[in-house]
Amino acid sequence: MALDKIGIAKRIAQEVKDGSYINLGIGIPTLVANYIPDNIEVVLQSENGLLGIGRFPYEEDVDADLINAGKQTITMLKGSALFSSAESFGMIRGGHVHLTILGAMEVSENGDIANWKIPGKMVKGMGGAMDLVASAENIIVAMQHKSRSGESKLLKECTLPITGIKCVKKVVSDLAVLEVLPEGGFKLLERAPGVSVEEIKEATAGKLIIKGDIPEMKID
Amino acid sequence: MINKVVSNAEEAVKDIKDNAVLMLGGFGLCGIPENCISALLKTGVKGLTCISNNAGVDDFGIGLMLKTRQVKKMISSYVGENAEFERQLLAGELEVDLIPQGTLAERIRAGGAGIPAFFTPAGYGTEVAEGKEIREFHGKKYLMEAWLQADFALVKAWKGDTAGNLIYKGTARNFNPMMAAAGKITIAEVEELVPVGELDPNYIHTPGIYVQRIFEGKNYEKRIEQRTVTPR
């Protein structure tokens, strides 16, 4: 069965390495924070100027001056640091943030990502997405494998306006975990529980590379 | 000692003229110059270019100035929370320049720091790069972006002293420090204005050299866009 949003978040949480600094995008990526194992210590970066994002505050502790990049009220963990937006994107561009997890509308087989604009619809802006995908050394995308109308979102080339090129390293979808190879192509690493290789083939319009037996994801 | 203290927001913004270029601090509704925005609504100044990461919401922040049709152009990274903005944009009544957030922050920083242009990887290979100079450094492609400066920068801080030194609180810092440096005239509104000597110089975020006018604001609403809580 295809994974739900929480399943995708749980699988991505397994990719997180101890001691890393991470930026989580809005949506499924934000959920990843809930499933990082207790024995792993990471620092979450919020691009509006905070390292060390904590949980949501209790009602009586809500502080309008403390929000995340999704404009949600939050708390700070012990050891947090606050800084300006220029410093924040300096640490992103400078390669100090190890991992960026974000959503996508489309990903191409050479690692291009489109997630900011749909022609004909209201353009809301790219926010920090272009800076993040141009800079982080490791970029993992959380997404649905197919659109609601059943079309593949893992393509040979993106059809929507691009956010960044050749930047996505891994895709975790509701159907599969795939590595984007440097020479191009989606290498199938794992299947969602009960999802067949055939189903993934059918759902992937870009070049899909299948070698040997493809294991099922292990998700608690 | 130069006197930077003005009595209120109305006095601080009274010489902002039609078609001025403004910078307004804040991320979402966090750290926005609420008092200066209210004062600009009263002066009715028009044709403004507003450099601000966001455009407020329909009934708060810059959204209020959109409603009164005082804004000609927005230079922002994300403007998604505002229906009136969308209406004016689709009707061709408002110009919008969308810029990657880190590029926006750095262009403002560069404006205040005397760096006319710089190279960034953000936007390479996208429509943002169209018409811009591309250069390769160490095997990676970058595009050239120019500084941003403003006639007036309107910033909001937590504490300030009569010399214009500022301290911000929490994530309300965001774009405020860079804007303070990039305004020809920088107006700082603070929650608490204290005499010089009361702020510890070790903890100043914005040195007073960047601030030309300062006043203690009043009635801060500090509206919250997404009130998220942990249940007890």
Side-chain angles (χ1 to χ4, degrees):
Chain A
M1 209 177 76
L3 297 178
D4 59 8
K5 286 177 180 181
I6 289 172
I8 295 173
K10 283 181 173 175
R11 178 59 191 83
I12 292 179
Q14 297 171 14
E15 300 288 318
V16 170
K17 292 192 178 73
D18 192 32
S20 54
Y21 289 86
I22 304 175
N23 183 290
L24 301 177
I26 293 161
I28 297 175
T30 304
L31 297 174
V32 173
N34 301 335
Y35 304 106
I36 295 171
D38 289 341
N39 59 341
I40 283 184
E41 197 179 328
V42 299
V43 180
L44 300 179
Q45 200 251 18
S46 195
E47 64 261 29
N48 56 321
L50 169 64
L51 276 167
I53 307 172
R55 57 162 173 74
F56 295 145
Y58 295 125
E59 183 67 42
E60 62 272 26
D61 298 328
V62 166
D63 180 355
D65 291 329
L66 204 54
I67 61 169
N68 64 17
K71 288 138 191 162
Q72 297 170 311
T73 46
I74 49 162
T75 56
M76 293 187 282
L77 296 178
K78 279 181 190 166
S80 283
L82 294 156
F83 36 85
S84 72
S85 300
E87 174 116 37
S88 177
F89 283 94
M91 67 182 69
I92 290 166
R93 256 187 263 101
H96 307 282
V97 175
H98 303 113
L99 171 63
T100 288
I101 301 169
L102 75 176
M105 300 172 190
E106 293 177 350
V107 173
S108 80
E109 65 187 38
N110 67 350
D112 297 353
I113 177 171
N115 72 350
W116 78 282
K117 182 177 179 180
I118 300 172
K121 287 206 178 164
M122 168 66 183
V123 181
K124 296 187 170 187
M126 65 292 278
M130 286 193 182
D131 309 270
L132 282 159
V133 300
S135 307
E137 62 187 71
N138 190 12
I139 294 168
I140 299 177
V141 165
M143 67 190 293
Q144 303 299 321
H145 215 104
K146 294 191 285 188
S147 69
R148 281 195 195 124
S149 57
E151 283 172 62
S152 179
K153 295 162 73 168
L154 278 68
L155 306 169
K156 183 170 171 48
E157 283 177 15
C158 292
T159 63
L160 295 169
I162 299 285
T163 308
I165 60 167
K166 293 184 183 170
C167 54
V168 177
K169 302 291 191 292
K170 203 170 260 186
V171 174
V172 179
S173 78
D174 52 333
L175 303 182
V177 180
L178 308 108
E179 183 186 352
V180 181
L181 297 178
E183 65 272 24
F186 297 106
K187 185 180 178 191
L188 184 57
L189 301 180
E190 296 174 23
R191 300 173 286 119
V195 171
S196 70
V197 170
E198 284 309 310
E199 279 174 77
I200 296 164
K201 264 190 195 169
E202 184 270 327
T204 309
K207 183 178 175 187
L208 185 66
I209 295 153
I210 303 164
K211 279 189 185 152
D213 284 340
I214 307 299
E216 265 188 13
M217 299 180 206
K218 289 188 179 66
I219 293 170
D220 304 328
Chain B
M1 191 74 210
I2 311 157
N3 184 26
K4 299 183 178 184
V5 179
V6 294
S7 55
N8 55 35
E10 286 73 21
E11 190 187 337
V13 307
K14 68 181 179 190
D15 58 344
I16 297 181
K17 300 264 185 341
D18 286 355
N19 303 311
V21 176
L22 308 184
M23 288 178 178
L24 296 101
F27 181 95
L29 301 177
C30 181
I32 61 172
E34 292 184 22
N35 278 231
C36 282
I37 291 172
S38 296
L40 287 170
L41 292 171
K42 285 183 200 158
T43 69
V45 62
K46 287 195 162 41
L48 299 171
T49 294
C50 293
I51 302 169
S52 170
N53 188 55
N54 312 94
V57 294
D58 274 315
D59 57 350
F60 201 60
I62 294 175
L64 295 169
M65 294 162 64
L66 288 164
K67 223 173 221 172
T68 51
R69 316 295 291 274
Q70 290 174 270
V71 180
K72 178 179 69 180
K73 181 175 182 179
M74 285 299 312
I75 299 177
S76 305
S77 86
Y78 188 81
V79 293
E81 322 297 346
N82 194 318
E84 175 62 13
F85 181 99
E86 181 169 355
R87 192 200 64 71
Q88 290 184 22
L89 180 64
L90 295 173
E93 297 165 7
L94 181 69
E95 288 174 59
V96 181
D97 199 356
L98 291 171
I99 297 174
Q101 196 174 132
T103 299
L104 179 63
E106 192 63 14
R107 287 178 68 183
I108 298 165
R109 199 195 72 80
I115 297 173
F118 58 92
F119 285 89
T120 176
Y124 173 70
T126 77
E127 63 183 52
V128 166
E130 282 168 19
K132 288 177 184 155
E133 183 177 338
I134 307 289
R135 283 233 210 133
E136 190 175 311
F137 297 95
H138 306 287
K140 187 168 168 174
K141 299 268 190 14
Y142 297 80
L143 52 109
M144 191 170 80
E145 294 280 4
W147 64 8
L148 282 169
Q149 293 172 322
D151 300 322
F152 292 87
L154 313 180
V155 304
K156 155 74 184 14
W158 179 39
K159 291 182 182 178
D161 68 19
T162 50
N165 296 303
L166 305 176
I167 296 174
Y168 307 95
K169 178 168 156 273
T171 54
R173 191 181 322 182
N174 55 64
F175 283 80
N176 284 296
M178 298 84 76
M179 289 183 171
K184 287 191 194 86
I185 293 174
T186 290
I187 300 168
E189 55 173 273
V190 298
E191 289 176 56
E192 189 184 350
L193 182 62
V194 299
V196 285
E198 285 203 12
L199 300 179
D200 184 339
N202 287 299
Y203 296 103
I204 300 295
H205 296 131
T206 291
I209 189 170
Y210 299 123
V211 175
Q212 280 70 46
R213 300 173 193 169
I214 188 165
F215 66 93
E216 187 171 286
K218 55 189 179 198
N219 304 326
Y220 281 103
E221 186 178 333
K222 294 198 183 180
R223 198 181 294 188
I224 292 169
E225 278 184 77
Q226 306 283 342
R227 191 182 193 89
T228 44
V229 297
T230 299
R232 282 276 187 192

